[in-house]
Amino acid sequence: PRELHLVCSTLACNLLLRGYARDAERALSVMLERIDHDVKNEFDWSGRLAFEWYVLPGYVLTGQTSRTQETLARSKAILSSSDDEKWQIAQYLGNLLFYYYLTGETSTQAISDAISRFKELKMPPAATHLEACHYWVAKAYVRWLQCQRQEISRDIFNQALNELQEVPRHPTLMAHYYFLKAQLFQMKNKIQKAEDFYRQAQVLAEAHDCPWVSYFILKHKLSSVNAK
């Protein structure tokens, strides 16, 4: 069962970061059926709740509001749980931040609570295992959204980007980094630098099948054409 959990978490993280949230939901739904008979408690590593954290973005994107709220309600206790399973808590917090980004809920306190809980894990970007690196991607997207709404400064957004740059190198992670870095330069009206980062993001997105980033870049191009 533990090996199954590791395989599923890695698959779900990969699919999510590339933009295949619906596929991640389908894959994990099969796994949830396999482990339903072995649930001991909500925080057991073989329990269904840990898998539902990965389906959380899929629930949001497919409009499954009730399932989203049920999963969040059952998960609240983890914010005050022990740190025996740091990687599991980190995975939940990453998906929680993705939830905030995807729903557009940028409650300063809720986001601060999630970020503060992650800090307690003492897991710096460079030491974060790959299965939890989506936390840094989610944090950067949340900071981008907050910055657009003028809820935080560009410096705070840039700090999140610097953290994302420090995570173990992976092409999908870097595609998100380059895209968001382009957004920062766009905000500063440094158009040439922004375009350079857009190009780097596009190269990685096309080479590694990352439609999430490809979609945002296409959206940027259409916006630029309309502006002219």
Side-chain angles (χ1 to χ4, degrees):
R2 188 174 183 84
E3 287 73 17
L4 178 63
H5 189 179
L6 290 172
V7 169
C8 288
S9 62
T10 303
L11 174 63
C13 185
N14 181 280
L15 288 170
L16 171 63
L17 289 177
R18 288 164 55 207
Y20 291 106
R22 190 183 294 273
D23 289 335
E25 180 189 0
R26 290 196 190 103
L28 291 176
S29 293
V30 174
M31 298 304 119
L32 286 171
E33 293 174 3
R34 292 278 301 275
I35 64 169
D36 266 347
H37 67 282
D38 194 32
V39 176
K40 298 176 182 177
N41 60 67
E42 290 185 349
F43 298 107
D44 188 273
W45 54 261
S46 64
R48 95 170 350 255
L49 188 62
F51 286 85
E52 287 186 340
W53 295 338
Y54 286 98
V55 192
L56 195 57
Y59 288 163
V60 176
L61 291 172
T62 54
Q64 300 184 58
T65 305
S66 60
R67 297 184 73 177
T68 300
Q69 295 304 321
E70 289 171 5
T71 300
L72 289 172
R74 288 198 298 272
S75 303
K76 285 182 178 179
I78 199 170
L79 294 176
S80 57
S81 64
S82 68
D83 293 348
D84 293 337
E85 290 283 2
K86 286 187 177 184
W87 68 280
Q88 195 175 30
I89 298 173
Q91 289 165 346
Y92 169 67
L93 293 173
N95 283 289
L96 181 62
L97 288 183
F98 268 128
Y99 163 78
Y100 290 140
Y101 167 70
L102 292 169
T103 57
E105 294 186 15
T106 56
S107 165
T108 303
Q109 189 58 53
I111 291 172
S112 295
D113 288 345
I115 292 174
S116 295
R117 183 67 184 93
F118 190 90
K119 286 181 179 178
E120 293 173 1
L121 301 179
K122 294 181 172 58
M123 192 183 294
T128 304
H129 53 80
L130 193 58
E131 290 80 7
C133 280
H134 66 298
Y135 167 83
W136 301 106
V137 178
K139 181 180 178 181
Y141 272 98
V142 166
R143 291 308 198 194
W144 175 41
L145 182 59
Q146 288 181 305
C147 193
Q148 291 179 84
R149 294 178 174 178
Q150 299 183 335
E151 297 171 353
I152 62 170
S153 68
R154 292 175 186 170
D155 288 341
I156 294 177
F157 176 33
N158 190 45
Q159 181 183 359
L161 293 180
N162 290 338
E163 292 169 337
L164 177 55
Q165 188 180 23
E166 294 174 9
V167 302
R169 288 299 176 109
H170 185 281
T172 302
L173 299 178
M174 293 309 298
H176 286 289
Y177 167 75
Y178 289 139
F179 166 72
L180 290 170
K181 193 70 172 180
Q183 289 298 311
L184 179 61
F185 281 120
Q186 194 84 33
M187 290 176 179
K188 294 180 178 180
N189 203 31
K190 296 183 178 180
I191 306 304
Q192 187 54 56
K193 283 191 174 182
E195 290 301 327
D196 289 342
F197 277 99
Y198 280 129
R199 280 192 289 272
Q200 293 181 73
Q202 185 169 14
V203 168
L204 287 176
E206 291 178 353
H208 299 279
D209 189 22
C210 186
W212 178 335
V213 174
S214 296
Y215 165 77
F216 273 126
I217 293 174
L218 178 59
K219 187 177 179 181
H220 159 69
K221 289 180 177 179
L222 291 174
S223 176
S224 298
V225 170
N226 291 334
K228 294 177 181 179

